[in-house]
Amino acid sequence: MSIIIRGARLIDPSKQLDQVSDIHVQAGRIKSLGHLADQSSDLEIDAKGLILSPSFLDLHTCLRDLNQIQKGTIASETQAAASAGFTHLCPSPDTQPCSDSGSVISLIKSKAAAAGFCELLPVAALTQDLKGSQLSNMEALAQAGCIGFSNAGYDIDNNTVLLRCYEYAATFGLKVLVQAQDRQLGDGHMHAGATATRMGLDGILVIAETLSISRHLQFMQHTGVSGHFNQLTSAAGVDLIRQAKAQGMDVTADVGIAHLCFTDTAIEGYQSQYHVQPPLREESDRKALLIGIEDGTLDAICSAHQPHESAAKCAPFAATATGMAMYDMLVPLIQKLVQAGDLTWTAAIRALSCNSTKIAVGTTTSLTIGEAANLTLIDPSHEWTLDASSQLSRGTNQALAQQKLKGRAQLTLKDGLITYKR
């Protein structure tokens, strides 16, 4: 099918492109850019006032399915991802069963292919069953299509095992992804601050993150492995990544959209929808994370999408499941940051698309003639209410449920095919 999108604001940070133009997609690729009044197509879209960019890639998401279909299915959550502008997803290995074998990876990828909304680039388990004792068969898992290896939120206490993991990955040129939180110091329910003290909840100190980052940086430097940090939360953590990059280390990092938008004060009243791991921190940390995105210290923004059923959040706060369902909220949250002057759409697209794609697959998707048409069209002024009738994720843990939001994706194309159209 041939598609012409007319009058959109084209933003592609990889090409320093920010202009109003038309774009013609044919046979799955970008055929032409510019003023295309003399051309016609099967489908024409008036995109005046809308933003068109390369599609997004999510470096950290939990898609559920397999033995957790009460929380969501690969079909439902990849559809929700497409509605947020994503065409490629890197699912976390903490599935049930764990993503530590080629058969599980093949099953996950085949389910996503059958649904047809997004392509999966799985992150496999660094150790067998994420138990931190025996190495997974990383080379075979890479052959099965995994783009990196992580122990998810399960810290590896044994330094010898961790060293062997890094040596194995470095030998085969594989990427290691780290969720940096010390297991013992991370045994709490929210950020250790005034709010936690007032509410009587066990706090998680910032040092739980910084100690883990420092430890993993030492292993990365020693082995020369390519390392990536998922979901940084603190100003001190951003500083450590900034120092590592200044020293020339091959390291990248991302931040979850929730940590750019919310702080620990959102938990007042024991609001379990804001119970996440790693925890939401203070306003000074949130500001530092935003500065990290703007100055390039933090390379990417991930969704950290974790859908849950209602029962998972209906318990005393400390007993509730951690995580938010983020895909339905992602574009409105970005737009809210833009309106507040905390972020620009150019910086957001760089972090969601250009940089995240380069981290995952080594190349960037762009608005270039001849390139695959992986595109997202965003209406930043669209006003809507997030409720059961408008959300696509099966997760009921939507922190902004029943609220009026502004901003939504209107169209997502993967290889020129429509995977979402509002």
Side-chain angles (χ1 to χ4, degrees), residues 6-56:
R6 299 192 184 276
R9 178 188 173 190
L10 273 56
I11 300 180
D12 182 355
S14 71
K15 298 179 61 182
Q16 292 77 51
L17 176 68
D18 188 344
Q19 67 181 42
V20 175
S21 183
D22 303 338
I23 186 168
H24 189 185
V25 173
Q26 189 171 52
R29 296 193 172 273
I30 298 173
K31 181 181 179 182
S32 55
L33 299 166
H35 185 60
L36 307 177
D38 59 337
Q39 297 186 29
S40 61
S41 65
D42 302 323
L43 174 64
E44 299 198 8
I45 297 172
D46 180 2
K48 183 178 180 181
L50 309 188
I51 296 170
L52 182 71
S53 77
S55 63
F56 304 156

Side-chain angles (χ1 to χ4, degrees), residues 305-364:
H305 176 70
Q306 294 187 60
H308 288 295
E309 74 282 18
S310 296
K313 290 288 188 178
C314 294
F317 184 90
T320 58
T322 60
M324 291 186 191
M326 295 303 307
Y327 285 137
D328 293 293
M329 303 190 296
L330 187 133
V331 172
L333 287 174
I334 294 292
Q335 177 60 18
K336 187 174 182 179
L337 291 172
V338 171
Q339 285 188 307
D342 289 336
L343 194 66
T344 64
W345 269 109
T346 297
I349 291 165
R350 181 186 298 114
L352 286 162
S353 178
C354 306
N355 289 355
S356 58
T357 304
K358 189 170 184 179
I359 290 167
V361 298
T363 60
T364 60

Side-chain angles (χ1 to χ4, degrees), residues 60-230:
H60 183 72
T61 182
C62 298
L63 296 180
R64 310 306 184 193
D65 212 321
L66 303 183
N67 291 324
Q68 302 181 83
I69 58 173
Q70 77 278 10
K71 299 178 183 293
T73 66
I74 287 176
S76 69
E77 303 316 299
T78 54
Q79 183 182 26
S83 77
F86 291 95
T87 55
H88 294 77
L89 310 176
C90 300
S92 176
D94 51 349
T95 50
Q96 295 181 8
C98 175
S99 297
D100 62 359
S101 68
S103 59
V104 173
I105 297 300
S106 295
L107 178 60
I108 291 170
K109 293 186 71 173
S110 65
K111 280 177 172 281
F117 298 109
C118 295
E119 180 178 347
L120 297 194
L121 305 169
V123 175
L126 191 61
T127 61
Q128 292 181 27
D129 205 25
L130 300 173
K131 291 183 177 178
S133 56
Q134 294 183 323
L135 278 62
S136 65
N137 190 344
M138 288 184 244
E139 185 184 15
L141 288 164
Q143 293 292 328
C146 296
I147 58 94
F149 298 85
S150 168
N151 224 53
Y154 301 92
D155 194 22
I156 299 175
D157 294 333
N158 189 313
N159 281 329
T160 300
V161 172
L162 188 58
L163 177 61
R164 297 294 176 257
C165 289
Y166 275 95
E167 289 174 338
Y168 190 138
T171 298
F172 292 97
L174 306 175
K175 185 180 292 293
V176 175
L177 294 86
V178 178
Q179 293 181 47
Q181 184 161 281
D182 180 84
R183 184 173 65 85
Q184 286 86 8
L185 294 177
D187 186 19
H189 305 114
M190 65 176 295
H191 170 66
T195 305
T197 300
R198 189 163 52 249
M199 296 174 63
L201 292 171
D202 291 337
I204 299 174
L205 296 164
V206 169
I207 196 176
E209 175 170 283
T210 55
L211 183 65
S212 181
I213 292 173
S214 299
R215 177 177 177 238
H216 283 276
L217 284 173
Q218 289 286 327
F219 282 105
M220 291 174 186
Q221 189 170 46
H222 175 74
T223 60
V225 78
S226 176
H228 176 78
F229 289 90
N230 283 128

